[in-house]
């Protein structure tokens, strides 16, 4: 019988929680989902993009990544290897006052995630815009590798993600 990998188990757990937030609790809208196998490097990536209802100007894409090495260590049962996945978030929204809003986002991220993340805010804009509106893309990498031991924390983690979106969206309703 097929024994699912840590990646598969975490993917299904995140997917189920997010679908419940969409279909049962009606707190979010799911916009897209992707499940990829990168044949060039034999890596897996699962992504699901969503927004809060009442705060669709802020989108969040949650991604799980498993490298070939992680998958091989698990499947081959390499001694001493602890199989796991990397978790990232990509949050996108528009800002008008770069200094003020990006500084506020910095504080929000530190408040919610403390020292568990590394993040970068990247701003872009259309060259010919008269009144510049910047697209702020916030890439968040979580430091600890996720393992199956983290399964019980997924609900609380997603509640923190929703709170982060609310705060970044300036308390969207």
């Amino acid at each position: 019988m097929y024994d699912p990998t840590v990646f598969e188990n975490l993917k299904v757990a995140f997917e189920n929680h997010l679908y419940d937030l969409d279909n049962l609790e009606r707190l979010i809208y799911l916009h897209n989902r992707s499940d990829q196998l990168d044949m060039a490097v034999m890596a897996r990536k699962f992504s699901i993009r969503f927004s809060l209802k009442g705060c669709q100007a802020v989108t969040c894409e949650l991604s799980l990544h498993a490298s070939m090495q992680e998958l091989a260590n698990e499947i081959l049962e390499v001694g001493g290897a602890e199989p796991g996945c990397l978790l990232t978030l990509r949050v996108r929204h528009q800002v008008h006052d770069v200094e003020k809003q990006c500084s506020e986002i910095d504080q929000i991220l530190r408040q919610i995630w403390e020292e568990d993340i590394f993040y970068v805010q990247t701003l872009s804009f259309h060259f010919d815009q008269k009144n510049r509106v910047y697209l702020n893309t916030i890439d968040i990498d979580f430091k600890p590798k996720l393992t199956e031991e983290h399964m019980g924390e997924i609900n609380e983690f997603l509640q923190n993600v929703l709170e982060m979106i609310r705060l970044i969206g300036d308390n969207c309703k």
Side-chain angles (χ1 to χ4, degrees):
M1 176 156 176
Y2 171 72
D3 188 19
T5 62
V6 170
F7 174 85
E8 288 292 331
N9 288 331
L10 287 169
K11 176 189 87 152
V12 168
F14 272 105
E15 204 170 26
N16 287 340
H17 276 84
L18 287 164
Y19 280 126
D20 286 350
L21 289 170
D22 178 34
N23 294 319
L24 300 178
E25 297 182 41
R26 301 192 185 278
L27 294 175
I28 66 171
Y29 289 115
L30 293 178
H31 298 285
N32 192 23
R33 110 183 241 302
S34 173
D35 192 353
Q36 300 175 336
L37 170 62
D38 185 336
M39 299 295 286
V41 293
M42 297 304 292
R44 294 287 310 269
K45 179 181 178 184
F46 168 75
S47 301
I48 191 162
R49 189 166 34 98
F50 59 94
S51 62
L52 268 175
K53 288 191 177 179
C55 193
Q56 292 156 355
V58 180
T59 62
C60 182
E61 183 175 335
L62 180 144
S63 297
L64 283 176
H65 311 263
S67 68
M68 176 182 64
Q69 189 66 54
E70 289 288 340
L71 294 168
N73 286 345
E74 180 177 4
I75 292 167
L76 298 173
E77 298 179 5
V78 172
E82 186 178 335
C85 302
L86 297 178
L87 174 66
T88 62
L89 295 175
R90 173 170 277 178
V91 180
R92 291 186 175 118
H93 76 107
Q94 294 182 342
V95 297
H96 301 277
D97 185 344
V98 171
E99 294 299 323
K100 179 179 182 268
Q101 289 178 280
C102 289
S103 179
E104 288 171 351
I105 290 168
D106 184 63
Q107 291 174 350
I108 290 166
L109 295 175
R110 290 175 195 268
Q111 170 192 338
I112 291 178
W113 305 116
E114 297 172 359
E115 300 297 320
D116 292 337
I117 64 169
F118 171 78
Y119 64 93
V120 174
Q121 293 187 63
T122 304
L123 300 170
S124 59
F125 61 91
H126 290 278
F127 172 72
D128 58 353
Q129 279 182 321
K130 296 223 188 265
N131 297 325
R132 288 230 167 104
V133 176
Y134 296 86
L135 175 63
N136 188 4
T137 302
I138 308 157
D139 290 309
I140 305 169
D141 297 326
F142 289 83
K143 293 179 184 177
K145 180 170 62 171
L146 286 185
T147 66
E148 288 176 327
E149 293 175 9
H150 294 102
M151 292 282 228
E153 301 170 17
I154 291 175
N155 188 51
E156 181 181 348
F157 171 81
L158 290 174
Q159 293 305 314
N160 286 335
V161 171
L162 299 182
E163 180 63 14
M164 175 190 70
I165 293 170
R166 274 186 208 98
L167 292 171
I168 289 173
D170 201 23
N171 298 309
C172 300
K173 300 293 181 218

